[in-house]
Amino acid sequence: MTAFPPRQKLAHVAACLVRRLPDRFATLLAAEPFADGREAVGRLADPAALAAGAAAMAPEEAAWMADLLLERWGRIDAVELEPAAAILGPDEIWVADEARTVTLGLALLGLEDDWEADWSGDAKLSEEGRQAALSIIPLAAGGRPIFRARVRVIGRADGKRAVVTASHDVQVRRPIVTLSADRLTLTLRDQADAPGQAVPMSIDGADHLTDGEGTIVLTFPSPSEATILVDGQSATVTRSQPEGGR
């Protein structure tokens, strides 16, 4: 089974921990010396705050924090993680003038191999039922920029029936590429004028990656009729006018 995504694993470990601690250590948590810990448990009990905190971490940091929580939890009590599911897929996708299909997978914690998945939302079930696909069409003016997949997984954990759910949003971004007047700099932005950071682009077959500002600086000027792809999608390029020019 595919490894569980680090951010989702951290959120799940923390959520299980704060559900167990108040029951197991109510007397300690009520004591004044543990006031800070009690407040921390209260903050983590908010699912939205927990998900936002995990999402703000780099995957490596989230993986380290999840392992640290498990290690410290194990020092004071038996670790009890509930079964969980996570949808595997991109957080965003660039769509120009052609529809794209995104394949979604599943990662599971604590479930035995014999399970079934029921997909819903914008996701369409694959033939074997363990993957799904999102068919994303080009954005029309005012079009919906987010596609959502949901899944309900029915299986067994520790010999007992278990049902877990997960959801995943894919942000759709339309590429808008501007080529500087000297043809040395390309800038990628989306329909909301947000920069495309760390996005693969191809210029006449040569591979590049945008920087934090959504730009690529070339050593030599790009050909006027260069074929430019954004994440594999053909992109329309706008030429900047020279200063004082028309």
Side-chain angles (χ1 to χ4, degrees), residues 17-19 21-22 29 36-46:
L17 180 62
V18 299
R19 280 195 287 270
L21 282 182
L29 287 174
D36 290 343
R38 184 169 61 249
E39 292 179 3
V41 169
R43 290 193 298 272
L44 290 176
D46 179 355

Side-chain angles (χ1 to χ4, degrees), residues 109-190:
L109 278 178
L111 284 178
E112 299 168 10
D113 290 340
D114 187 16
W115 52 267
E116 296 181 355
D118 179 18
W119 294 87
S120 59
D122 298 308
K124 304 300 181 184
L125 183 66
S126 65
E127 291 184 2
E128 66 274 15
R130 296 201 167 194
Q131 288 185 326
L134 286 177
S135 295
I136 300 176
I137 61 176
L139 291 176
R144 184 164 57 102
I146 293 177
F147 283 67
R148 172 167 292 174
R150 301 183 184 88
V151 70
R152 180 171 179 264
V153 183
I154 303 171
R156 298 184 70 80
D158 295 328
K160 299 178 181 179
R161 185 176 184 271
V163 178
V164 294
T165 61
S167 65
H168 183 72
D169 291 348
V170 179
Q171 176 78 39
V172 181
R173 307 180 70 183
R174 183 173 181 82
I176 300 170
V177 179
T178 302
L179 179 63
S180 63
D182 60 10
R183 294 185 280 120
L184 286 173
T185 303
L186 290 97
T187 303
L188 172 64
R189 306 188 81 81
D190 66 11

